[in-house]
PDB file of all heavy atoms in Angstrom:
ATOM      1  N   LEU A  20    -100.691  80.806-105.586  1.00  0.00           N
ATOM      2  CA  LEU A  20    -100.573  79.521-104.827  1.00  0.00           C
ATOM      3  C   LEU A  20     -99.236  78.892-105.324  1.00  0.00           C
ATOM      4  O   LEU A  20     -99.080  78.575-106.441  1.00  0.00           O
ATOM      5  CB  LEU A  20    -101.710  78.559-105.103  1.00  0.00           C
ATOM      6  CG  LEU A  20    -101.815  77.335-104.229  1.00  0.00           C
ATOM      7  CD1 LEU A  20    -103.284  76.789-104.116  1.00  0.00           C
ATOM      8  CD2 LEU A  20    -100.921  76.219-104.745  1.00  0.00           C
ATOM      9  N   LYS A  21     -98.278  78.768-104.372  1.00  0.00           N
ATOM     10  CA  LYS A  21     -96.990  78.232-104.742  1.00  0.00           C
ATOM     11  C   LYS A  21     -96.852  76.724-104.218  1.00  0.00           C
ATOM     12  O   LYS A  21     -97.328  76.395-103.220  1.00  0.00           O
ATOM     13  CB  LYS A  21     -95.887  79.111-104.047  1.00  0.00           C
ATOM     14  CG  LYS A  21     -95.894  80.544-104.573  1.00  0.00           C
ATOM     15  CD  LYS A  21     -94.795  81.386-103.864  1.00  0.00           C
ATOM     16  CE  LYS A  21     -94.822  82.802-104.451  1.00  0.00           C
ATOM     17  NZ  LYS A  21     -93.743  83.641-103.803  1.00  0.00           N
ATOM     18  N   THR A  22     -96.188  75.999-105.065  1.00  0.00           N
ATOM     19  CA  THR A  22     -95.952  74.584-104.740  1.00  0.00           C
ATOM     20  C   THR A  22     -94.479  74.341-104.414  1.00  0.00           C
ATOM     21  O   THR A  22     -93.611  75.098-104.834  1.00  0.00           O
ATOM     22  CB  THR A  22     -96.435  73.658-105.908  1.00  0.00           C
ATOM     23  OG1 THR A  22     -95.515  73.846-106.983  1.00  0.00           O
ATOM     24  CG2 THR A  22     -97.870  73.931-106.284  1.00  0.00           C
ATOM     25  N   GLU A  23     -94.220  73.234-103.710  1.00  0.00           N
ATOM     26  CA  GLU A  23     -92.837  72.891-103.399  1.00  0.00           C
ATOM     27  C   GLU A  23     -92.075  72.578-104.699  1.00  0.00           C
ATOM     28  O   GLU A  23     -90.833  72.735-104.808  1.00  0.00           O
ATOM     29  CB  GLU A  23     -92.751  71.625-102.514  1.00  0.00           C
ATOM     30  CG  GLU A  23     -93.491  71.801-101.135  1.00  0.00           C
ATOM     31  CD  GLU A  23     -92.594  72.642-100.199  1.00  0.00           C
ATOM     32  OE1 GLU A  23     -91.477  73.001-100.586  1.00  0.00           O
ATOM     33  OE2 GLU A  23     -92.988  72.814 -99.022  1.00  0.00           O
ATOM     34  N   GLU A  24     -92.842  72.201-105.785  1.00  0.00           N
ATOM     35  CA  GLU A  24     -92.183  71.792-106.969  1.00  0.00           C
ATOM     36  C   GLU A  24     -91.948  72.979-107.936  1.00  0.00           C
ATOM     37  O   GLU A  24     -91.392  72.839-109.050  1.00  0.00           O
ATOM     38  CB  GLU A  24     -93.088  70.748-107.749  1.00  0.00           C
ATOM     39  CG  GLU A  24     -93.149  69.441-107.044  1.00  0.00           C
ATOM     40  CD  GLU A  24     -94.013  69.436-105.746  1.00  0.00           C
ATOM     41  OE1 GLU A  24     -94.869  70.358-105.682  1.00  0.00           O
ATOM     42  OE2 GLU A  24     -93.907  68.588-104.972  1.00  0.00           O
ATOM     43  N   GLY A  25     -92.319  74.221-107.503  1.00  0.00           N
ATOM     44  CA  GLY A  25     -91.991  75.364-108.275  1.00  0.00           C
ATOM     45  C   GLY A  25     -93.077  75.849-109.172  1.00  0.00           C
ATOM     46  O   GLY A  25     -92.955  76.961-109.811  1.00  0.00           O
ATOM     47  N   ILE A  26     -94.175  75.156-109.312  1.00  0.00           N
ATOM     48  CA  ILE A  26     -95.344  75.583-110.136  1.00  0.00           C
ATOM     49  C   ILE A  26     -96.173  76.501-109.308  1.00  0.00           C
ATOM     50  O   ILE A  26     -96.459  76.311-108.152  1.00  0.00           O
ATOM     51  CB  ILE A  26     -96.092  74.381-110.614  1.00  0.00           C
ATOM     52  CG1 ILE A  26     -95.274  73.558-111.550  1.00  0.00           C
ATOM     53  CG2 ILE A  26     -97.444  74.770-111.304  1.00  0.00           C
ATOM     54  CD1 ILE A  26     -95.926  72.288-112.103  1.00  0.00           C
ATOM     55  N   VAL A  27     -96.617  77.593-109.967  1.00  0.00           N
ATOM     56  CA  VAL A  27     -97.431  78.566-109.307  1.00  0.00           C
ATOM     57  C   VAL A  27     -98.794  78.689-109.995  1.00  0.00           C
ATOM     58  O   VAL A  27     -98.902  78.808-111.238  1.00  0.00           O
ATOM     59  CB  VAL A  27     -96.790  80.015-109.335  1.00  0.00           C
ATOM     60  CG1 VAL A  27     -97.729  81.042-108.689  1.00  0.00           C
ATOM     61  CG2 VAL A  27     -95.421  79.941-108.672  1.00  0.00           C
ATOM     62  N   GLY A  28     -99.886  78.614-109.205  1.00  0.00           N
ATOM     63  CA  GLY A  28    -101.214  78.780-109.732  1.00  0.00           C
ATOM     64  C   GLY A  28    -101.758  80.188-109.290  1.00  0.00           C
ATOM     65  O   GLY A  28    -101.466  80.596-108.184  1.00  0.00           O
ATOM     66  N   ARG A  29    -102.469  80.839-110.189  1.00  0.00           N
ATOM     67  CA  ARG A  29    -102.953  82.134-109.858  1.00  0.00           C
ATOM     68  C   ARG A  29    -104.449  82.294-110.039  1.00  0.00           C
ATOM     69  O   ARG A  29    -105.003  81.670-111.018  1.00  0.00           O
ATOM     70  CB  ARG A  29    -102.282  83.191-110.777  1.00  0.00           C
ATOM     71  CG  ARG A  29    -100.843  83.325-110.538  1.00  0.00           C
ATOM     72  CD  ARG A  29    -100.093  84.367-111.376  1.00  0.00           C
ATOM     73  NE  ARG A  29     -98.688  84.407-111.150  1.00  0.00           N
ATOM     74  CZ  ARG A  29     -97.787  83.713-111.760  1.00  0.00           C
ATOM     75  NH1 ARG A  29     -98.164  82.931-112.735  1.00  0.00           N
ATOM     76  NH2 ARG A  29     -96.468  83.843-111.461  1.00  0.00           N
ATOM     77  N   THR A  30    -105.135  83.006-109.199  1.00  0.00           N
ATOM     78  CA  THR A  30    -106.529  83.295-109.314  1.00  0.00           C
ATOM     79  C   THR A  30    -106.837  84.593-108.558  1.00  0.00           C
ATOM     80  O   THR A  30    -105.943  85.181-107.956  1.00  0.00           O
ATOM     81  CB  THR A  30    -107.412  82.121-108.769  1.00  0.00           C
ATOM     82  OG1 THR A  30    -108.742  82.374-109.174  1.00  0.00           O
ATOM     83  CG2 THR A  30    -107.290  82.008-107.265  1.00  0.00           C
ATOM     84  N   TYR A  31    -108.019  84.998-108.508  1.00  0.00           N
ATOM     85  CA  TYR A  31    -108.481  86.234-107.770  1.00  0.00           C
ATOM     86  C   TYR A  31    -109.852  86.030-107.258  1.00  0.00           C
ATOM     87  O   TYR A  31    -110.614  85.237-107.785  1.00  0.00           O
ATOM     88  CB  TYR A  31    -108.300  87.464-108.648  1.00  0.00           C
ATOM     89  CG  TYR A  31    -109.221  87.458-109.908  1.00  0.00           C
ATOM     90  CD1 TYR A  31    -110.518  87.970-109.800  1.00  0.00           C
ATOM     91  CD2 TYR A  31    -108.799  87.088-111.143  1.00  0.00           C
ATOM     92  CE1 TYR A  31    -111.368  88.015-110.915  1.00  0.00           C
ATOM     93  CE2 TYR A  31    -109.543  87.114-112.242  1.00  0.00           C
ATOM     94  CZ  TYR A  31    -110.900  87.533-112.163  1.00  0.00           C
ATOM     95  OH  TYR A  31    -111.714  87.567-113.280  1.00  0.00           O
ATOM     96  N   LEU A  32    -110.122  86.858-106.271  1.00  0.00           N
ATOM     97  CA  LEU A  32    -111.513  87.012-105.684  1.00  0.00           C
ATOM     98  C   LEU A  32    -111.959  88.370-105.880  1.00  0.00           C
ATOM     99  O   LEU A  32    -111.154  89.345-105.894  1.00  0.00           O
ATOM    100  CB  LEU A  32    -111.507  86.627-104.212  1.00  0.00           C
ATOM    101  CG  LEU A  32    -111.134  85.160-103.825  1.00  0.00           C
ATOM    102  CD1 LEU A  32    -111.156  85.089-102.304  1.00  0.00           C
ATOM    103  CD2 LEU A  32    -112.136  84.235-104.421  1.00  0.00           C
ATOM    104  N   GLU A  33    -113.281  88.572-106.026  1.00  0.00           N
ATOM    105  CA  GLU A  33    -113.887  89.856-106.149  1.00  0.00           C
ATOM    106  C   GLU A  33    -114.939  90.034-105.040  1.00  0.00           C
ATOM    107  O   GLU A  33    -116.123  89.683-105.247  1.00  0.00           O
ATOM    108  CB  GLU A  33    -114.572  90.074-107.488  1.00  0.00           C
ATOM    109  CG  GLU A  33    -113.540  89.943-108.638  1.00  0.00           C
ATOM    110  CD  GLU A  33    -114.213  89.968-110.046  1.00  0.00           C
ATOM    111  OE1 GLU A  33    -114.852  88.974-110.361  1.00  0.00           O
ATOM    112  OE2 GLU A  33    -113.980  90.912-110.768  1.00  0.00           O
ATOM    113  N   PRO A  34    -114.616  90.513-103.877  1.00  0.00           N
ATOM    114  CA  PRO A  34    -115.519  90.446-102.675  1.00  0.00           C
ATOM    115  C   PRO A  34    -116.448  91.621-102.562  1.00  0.00           C
ATOM    116  O   PRO A  34    -117.007  91.874-101.480  1.00  0.00           O
ATOM    117  CB  PRO A  34    -114.595  90.398-101.513  1.00  0.00           C
ATOM    118  CG  PRO A  34    -113.400  91.123-101.950  1.00  0.00           C
ATOM    119  CD  PRO A  34    -113.199  90.893-103.426  1.00  0.00           C
ATOM    120  N   TYR A  35    -116.663  92.432-103.693  1.00  0.00           N
ATOM    121  CA  TYR A  35    -117.648  93.453-103.709  1.00  0.00           C
ATOM    122  C   TYR A  35    -117.366  94.742-102.898  1.00  0.00           C
ATOM    123  O   TYR A  35    -117.450  95.806-103.388  1.00  0.00           O
ATOM    124  CB  TYR A  35    -119.049  92.947-103.319  1.00  0.00           C
ATOM    125  CG  TYR A  35    -119.549  91.823-104.204  1.00  0.00           C
ATOM    126  CD1 TYR A  35    -119.419  90.518-103.769  1.00  0.00           C
ATOM    127  CD2 TYR A  35    -120.153  92.071-105.430  1.00  0.00           C
ATOM    128  CE1 TYR A  35    -119.877  89.472-104.542  1.00  0.00           C
ATOM    129  CE2 TYR A  35    -120.575  90.974-106.228  1.00  0.00           C
ATOM    130  CZ  TYR A  35    -120.485  89.750-105.741  1.00  0.00           C
ATOM    131  OH  TYR A  35    -120.912  88.703-106.525  1.00  0.00           O
ATOM    132  N   ILE A  36    -117.002  94.488-101.688  1.00  0.00           N
ATOM    133  CA  ILE A  36    -116.844  95.654-100.744  1.00  0.00           C
ATOM    134  C   ILE A  36    -115.305  95.739-100.324  1.00  0.00           C
ATOM    135  O   ILE A  36    -114.714  94.745 -99.860  1.00  0.00           O
ATOM    136  CB  ILE A  36    -117.672  95.439 -99.414  1.00  0.00           C
ATOM    137  CG1 ILE A  36    -119.170  95.392 -99.832  1.00  0.00           C
ATOM    138  CG2 ILE A  36    -117.479  96.577 -98.399  1.00  0.00           C
ATOM    139  CD1 ILE A  36    -120.078  94.878 -98.675  1.00  0.00           C
ATOM    140  N   VAL A  37    -114.842  96.933-100.437  1.00  0.00           N
ATOM    141  CA  VAL A  37    -113.377  97.134-100.221  1.00  0.00           C
ATOM    142  C   VAL A  37    -112.971  96.714 -98.837  1.00  0.00           C
ATOM    143  O   VAL A  37    -111.981  95.958 -98.585  1.00  0.00           O
ATOM    144  CB  VAL A  37    -112.957  98.564-100.495  1.00  0.00           C
ATOM    145  CG1 VAL A  37    -111.505  98.846-100.054  1.00  0.00           C
ATOM    146  CG2 VAL A  37    -113.141  98.945-102.000  1.00  0.00           C
ATOM    147  N   LYS A  38    -113.734  97.108 -97.826  1.00  0.00           N
ATOM    148  CA  LYS A  38    -113.385  96.848 -96.457  1.00  0.00           C
ATOM    149  C   LYS A  38    -113.410  95.337 -96.155  1.00  0.00           C
ATOM    150  O   LYS A  38    -112.808  94.871 -95.185  1.00  0.00           O
ATOM    151  CB  LYS A  38    -114.312  97.595 -95.477  1.00  0.00           C
ATOM    152  CG  LYS A  38    -114.079  99.118 -95.466  1.00  0.00           C
ATOM    153  CD  LYS A  38    -112.704  99.537 -94.931  1.00  0.00           C
ATOM    154  CE  LYS A  38    -112.544  99.254 -93.476  1.00  0.00           C
ATOM    155  NZ  LYS A  38    -111.246  99.602 -93.034  1.00  0.00           N
ATOM    156  N   SER A  39    -114.159  94.582 -96.905  1.00  0.00           N
ATOM    157  CA  SER A  39    -114.264  93.123 -96.647  1.00  0.00           C
ATOM    158  C   SER A  39    -112.903  92.462 -96.772  1.00  0.00           C
ATOM    159  O   SER A  39    -112.638  91.398 -96.228  1.00  0.00           O
ATOM    160  CB  SER A  39    -115.300  92.432 -97.511  1.00  0.00           C
ATOM    161  OG  SER A  39    -114.846  92.437 -98.870  1.00  0.00           O
ATOM    162  N   MET A  40    -112.036  93.078 -97.540  1.00  0.00           N
ATOM    163  CA  MET A  40    -110.689  92.507 -97.706  1.00  0.00           C
ATOM    164  C   MET A  40    -109.879  92.499 -96.463  1.00  0.00           C
ATOM    165  O   MET A  40    -108.933  91.768 -96.281  1.00  0.00           O
ATOM    166  CB  MET A  40    -109.964  93.193 -98.851  1.00  0.00           C
ATOM    167  CG  MET A  40    -110.641  93.088-100.191  1.00  0.00           C
ATOM    168  SD  MET A  40    -109.637  93.530-101.639  1.00  0.00           S
ATOM    169  CE  MET A  40    -109.413  95.291-101.400  1.00  0.00           C
ATOM    170  N   ASP A  41    -110.186  93.470 -95.483  1.00  0.00           N
ATOM    171  CA  ASP A  41    -109.534  93.494 -94.179  1.00  0.00           C
ATOM    172  C   ASP A  41    -109.725  92.144 -93.435  1.00  0.00           C
ATOM    173  O   ASP A  41    -108.904  91.775 -92.631  1.00  0.00           O
ATOM    174  CB  ASP A  41    -110.052  94.655 -93.371  1.00  0.00           C
ATOM    175  CG  ASP A  41    -109.719  95.980 -93.958  1.00  0.00           C
ATOM    176  OD1 ASP A  41    -108.794  96.016 -94.746  1.00  0.00           O
ATOM    177  OD2 ASP A  41    -110.372  96.984 -93.595  1.00  0.00           O
ATOM    178  N   TYR A  42    -110.816  91.465 -93.679  1.00  0.00           N
ATOM    179  CA  TYR A  42    -111.087  90.227 -93.027  1.00  0.00           C
ATOM    180  C   TYR A  42    -110.682  89.000 -93.839  1.00  0.00           C
ATOM    181  O   TYR A  42    -110.258  87.938 -93.324  1.00  0.00           O
ATOM    182  CB  TYR A  42    -112.603  90.122 -92.659  1.00  0.00           C
ATOM    183  CG  TYR A  42    -113.160  91.376 -92.059  1.00  0.00           C
ATOM    184  CD1 TYR A  42    -113.894  92.268 -92.820  1.00  0.00           C
ATOM    185  CD2 TYR A  42    -112.866  91.680 -90.746  1.00  0.00           C
ATOM    186  CE1 TYR A  42    -114.423  93.398 -92.263  1.00  0.00           C
ATOM    187  CE2 TYR A  42    -113.360  92.847 -90.152  1.00  0.00           C
ATOM    188  CZ  TYR A  42    -114.148  93.767 -90.962  1.00  0.00           C
ATOM    189  OH  TYR A  42    -114.607  94.884 -90.414  1.00  0.00           O
ATOM    190  N   LEU A  43    -110.903  89.103 -95.190  1.00  0.00           N
ATOM    191  CA  LEU A  43    -110.654  87.968 -96.063  1.00  0.00           C
ATOM    192  C   LEU A  43    -109.153  87.682 -96.274  1.00  0.00           C
ATOM    193  O   LEU A  43    -108.719  86.550 -96.338  1.00  0.00           O
ATOM    194  CB  LEU A  43    -111.352  88.103 -97.407  1.00  0.00           C
ATOM    195  CG  LEU A  43    -112.829  88.178 -97.344  1.00  0.00           C
ATOM    196  CD1 LEU A  43    -113.402  88.561 -98.733  1.00  0.00           C
ATOM    197  CD2 LEU A  43    -113.382  86.746 -96.946  1.00  0.00           C
ATOM    198  N   VAL A  44    -108.375  88.698 -96.383  1.00  0.00           N
ATOM    199  CA  VAL A  44    -106.932  88.505 -96.673  1.00  0.00           C
ATOM    200  C   VAL A  44    -106.233  87.810 -95.525  1.00  0.00           C
ATOM    201  O   VAL A  44    -105.507  86.772 -95.741  1.00  0.00           O
ATOM    202  CB  VAL A  44    -106.207  89.911 -96.946  1.00  0.00           C
ATOM    203  CG1 VAL A  44    -104.690  89.722 -96.872  1.00  0.00           C
ATOM    204  CG2 VAL A  44    -106.652  90.419 -98.283  1.00  0.00           C
ATOM    205  N   PRO A  45    -106.476  88.175 -94.224  1.00  0.00           N
ATOM    206  CA  PRO A  45    -105.854  87.362 -93.184  1.00  0.00           C
ATOM    207  C   PRO A  45    -106.400  85.934 -93.147  1.00  0.00           C
ATOM    208  O   PRO A  45    -105.686  85.002 -92.782  1.00  0.00           O
ATOM    209  CB  PRO A  45    -106.292  88.098 -91.900  1.00  0.00           C
ATOM    210  CG  PRO A  45    -106.543  89.554 -92.353  1.00  0.00           C
ATOM    211  CD  PRO A  45    -107.119  89.366 -93.694  1.00  0.00           C
ATOM    212  N   ALA A  46    -107.687  85.730 -93.442  1.00  0.00           N
ATOM    213  CA  ALA A  46    -108.230  84.411 -93.414  1.00  0.00           C
ATOM    214  C   ALA A  46    -107.522  83.514 -94.522  1.00  0.00           C
ATOM    215  O   ALA A  46    -107.267  82.331 -94.322  1.00  0.00           O
ATOM    216  CB  ALA A  46    -109.781  84.408 -93.725  1.00  0.00           C
ATOM    217  N   LEU A  47    -107.294  84.152 -95.704  1.00  0.00           N
ATOM    218  CA  LEU A  47    -106.649  83.380 -96.754  1.00  0.00           C
ATOM    219  C   LEU A  47    -105.236  83.022 -96.370  1.00  0.00           C
ATOM    220  O   LEU A  47    -104.710  81.903 -96.591  1.00  0.00           O
ATOM    221  CB  LEU A  47    -106.665  84.183 -98.061  1.00  0.00           C
ATOM    222  CG  LEU A  47    -107.970  84.263 -98.778  1.00  0.00           C
ATOM    223  CD1 LEU A  47    -107.958  85.418 -99.802  1.00  0.00           C
ATOM    224  CD2 LEU A  47    -108.281  82.940 -99.444  1.00  0.00           C
ATOM    225  N   ARG A  48    -104.530  83.964 -95.667  1.00  0.00           N
ATOM    226  CA  ARG A  48    -103.162  83.711 -95.255  1.00  0.00           C
ATOM    227  C   ARG A  48    -103.125  82.565 -94.158  1.00  0.00           C
ATOM    228  O   ARG A  48    -102.271  81.740 -94.201  1.00  0.00           O
ATOM    229  CB  ARG A  48    -102.506  85.001 -94.746  1.00  0.00           C
ATOM    230  CG  ARG A  48    -102.220  85.974 -95.851  1.00  0.00           C
ATOM    231  CD  ARG A  48    -101.759  87.351 -95.353  1.00  0.00           C
ATOM    232  NE  ARG A  48    -101.406  88.187 -96.461  1.00  0.00           N
ATOM    233  CZ  ARG A  48    -101.448  89.478 -96.437  1.00  0.00           C
ATOM    234  NH1 ARG A  48    -101.766  90.094 -95.281  1.00  0.00           N
ATOM    235  NH2 ARG A  48    -101.159  90.180 -97.420  1.00  0.00           N
ATOM    236  N   ASP A  49    -104.170  82.581 -93.313  1.00  0.00           N
ATOM    237  CA  ASP A  49    -104.230  81.561 -92.255  1.00  0.00           C
ATOM    238  C   ASP A  49    -104.459  80.194 -92.955  1.00  0.00           C
ATOM    239  O   ASP A  49    -103.873  79.192 -92.528  1.00  0.00           O
ATOM    240  CB  ASP A  49    -105.358  81.864 -91.290  1.00  0.00           C
ATOM    241  CG  ASP A  49    -104.995  82.975 -90.332  1.00  0.00           C
ATOM    242  OD1 ASP A  49    -103.842  83.293 -90.285  1.00  0.00           O
ATOM    243  OD2 ASP A  49    -105.903  83.493 -89.675  1.00  0.00           O
ATOM    244  N   MET A  50    -105.311  80.142 -93.960  1.00  0.00           N
ATOM    245  CA  MET A  50    -105.574  78.873 -94.631  1.00  0.00           C
ATOM    246  C   MET A  50    -104.358  78.403 -95.349  1.00  0.00           C
ATOM    247  O   MET A  50    -104.068  77.210 -95.392  1.00  0.00           O
ATOM    248  CB  MET A  50    -106.754  79.049 -95.671  1.00  0.00           C
ATOM    249  CG  MET A  50    -108.085  79.092 -95.036  1.00  0.00           C
ATOM    250  SD  MET A  50    -109.381  79.035 -96.271  1.00  0.00           S
ATOM    251  CE  MET A  50    -110.827  78.985 -95.142  1.00  0.00           C
ATOM    252  N   GLY A  51    -103.580  79.333 -95.954  1.00  0.00           N
ATOM    253  CA  GLY A  51    -102.308  78.959 -96.572  1.00  0.00           C
ATOM    254  C   GLY A  51    -101.342  78.303 -95.606  1.00  0.00           C
ATOM    255  O   GLY A  51    -100.729  77.272 -95.925  1.00  0.00           O
ATOM    256  N   ALA A  52    -101.310  78.859 -94.414  1.00  0.00           N
ATOM    257  CA  ALA A  52    -100.399  78.241 -93.441  1.00  0.00           C
ATOM    258  C   ALA A  52    -100.905  76.917 -92.919  1.00  0.00           C
ATOM    259  O   ALA A  52    -100.058  75.951 -92.754  1.00  0.00           O
ATOM    260  CB  ALA A  52    -100.333  79.239 -92.246  1.00  0.00           C
ATOM    261  N   MET A  53    -102.194  76.749 -92.858  1.00  0.00           N
ATOM    262  CA  MET A  53    -102.764  75.468 -92.491  1.00  0.00           C
ATOM    263  C   MET A  53    -102.528  74.332 -93.478  1.00  0.00           C
ATOM    264  O   MET A  53    -102.372  73.188 -93.124  1.00  0.00           O
ATOM    265  CB  MET A  53    -104.286  75.651 -92.246  1.00  0.00           C
ATOM    266  CG  MET A  53    -105.056  74.419 -91.910  1.00  0.00           C
ATOM    267  SD  MET A  53    -106.846  74.667 -91.853  1.00  0.00           S
ATOM    268  CE  MET A  53    -107.246  75.052 -93.550  1.00  0.00           C
ATOM    269  N   LEU A  54    -102.498  74.717 -94.818  1.00  0.00           N
ATOM    270  CA  LEU A  54    -102.393  73.739 -95.815  1.00  0.00           C
ATOM    271  C   LEU A  54    -100.981  73.436 -96.253  1.00  0.00           C
ATOM    272  O   LEU A  54    -100.748  72.538 -97.098  1.00  0.00           O
ATOM    273  CB  LEU A  54    -103.171  74.218 -97.080  1.00  0.00           C
ATOM    274  CG  LEU A  54    -104.711  74.366 -96.907  1.00  0.00           C
ATOM    275  CD1 LEU A  54    -105.312  75.065 -98.115  1.00  0.00           C
ATOM    276  CD2 LEU A  54    -105.338  72.995 -96.642  1.00  0.00           C
ATOM    277  N   LYS A  55     -99.990  74.173 -95.671  1.00  0.00           N
ATOM    278  CA  LYS A  55     -98.552  73.929 -96.009  1.00  0.00           C
ATOM    279  C   LYS A  55     -98.244  72.463 -95.874  1.00  0.00           C
ATOM    280  O   LYS A  55     -98.443  71.861 -94.899  1.00  0.00           O
ATOM    281  CB  LYS A  55     -97.702  74.832 -95.161  1.00  0.00           C
ATOM    282  CG  LYS A  55     -96.256  74.734 -95.546  1.00  0.00           C
ATOM    283  CD  LYS A  55     -95.406  75.712 -94.677  1.00  0.00           C
ATOM    284  CE  LYS A  55     -93.900  75.556 -95.012  1.00  0.00           C
ATOM    285  NZ  LYS A  55     -93.576  75.829 -96.349  1.00  0.00           N
ATOM    286  N   GLY A  56     -97.536  71.948 -96.925  1.00  0.00           N
ATOM    287  CA  GLY A  56     -97.061  70.573 -96.886  1.00  0.00           C
ATOM    288  C   GLY A  56     -98.063  69.567 -97.380  1.00  0.00           C
ATOM    289  O   GLY A  56     -97.724  68.370 -97.573  1.00  0.00           O
ATOM    290  N   ARG A  57     -99.284  69.908 -97.632  1.00  0.00           N
ATOM    291  CA  ARG A  57    -100.314  68.989 -98.073  1.00  0.00           C
ATOM    292  C   ARG A  57    -100.177  68.754 -99.621  1.00  0.00           C
ATOM    293  O   ARG A  57     -99.823  69.671-100.318  1.00  0.00           O
ATOM    294  CB  ARG A  57    -101.733  69.444 -97.792  1.00  0.00           C
ATOM    295  CG  ARG A  57    -102.119  69.401 -96.314  1.00  0.00           C
ATOM    296  CD  ARG A  57    -103.526  69.948 -96.112  1.00  0.00           C
ATOM    297  NE  ARG A  57    -103.945  69.893 -94.779  1.00  0.00           N
ATOM    298  CZ  ARG A  57    -104.653  68.874 -94.292  1.00  0.00           C
ATOM    299  NH1 ARG A  57    -105.101  67.872 -95.093  1.00  0.00           N
ATOM    300  NH2 ARG A  57    -105.023  68.800 -92.989  1.00  0.00           N
ATOM    301  N   LYS A  58    -100.545  67.540-100.043  1.00  0.00           N
ATOM    302  CA  LYS A  58    -100.594  67.232-101.440  1.00  0.00           C
ATOM    303  C   LYS A  58    -101.793  68.086-102.085  1.00  0.00           C
ATOM    304  O   LYS A  58    -102.824  68.177-101.426  1.00  0.00           O
ATOM    305  CB  LYS A  58    -100.773  65.773-101.694  1.00  0.00           C
ATOM    306  CG  LYS A  58     -99.476  64.953-101.330  1.00  0.00           C
ATOM    307  CD  LYS A  58     -98.294  65.352-102.170  1.00  0.00           C
ATOM    308  CE  LYS A  58     -97.083  64.544-101.793  1.00  0.00           C
ATOM    309  NZ  LYS A  58     -95.884  65.025-102.562  1.00  0.00           N
TER     310      LYS A  58
END
């Protein structure tokens, strides 16, 4: 997670099933775009 101020936060998810990442990764990217610019 990158901030405008240059600080980066890191974490991970463990979704159990490999194929589930096909759905979760796009959802996370969509959420990232939705939250851009928020405090």
Side-chain angles (χ1 to χ4, degrees):
L20 188 156
K21 298 181 178 180
T22 67
E23 298 284 359
E24 294 74 20
I26 293 176
V27 179
R29 297 183 179 89
T30 190
Y31 62 86
L32 296 176
E33 299 173 294
Y35 301 97
I36 300 169
V37 171
K38 291 295 290 182
S39 68
M40 297 194 293
D41 293 341
Y42 313 103
L43 292 173
V44 168
L47 286 164
R48 289 174 177 152
D49 286 347
M50 282 189 179
M53 177 185 67
L54 295 172
K55 183 175 175 62
R57 288 179 177 264
K58 292 297 181 183

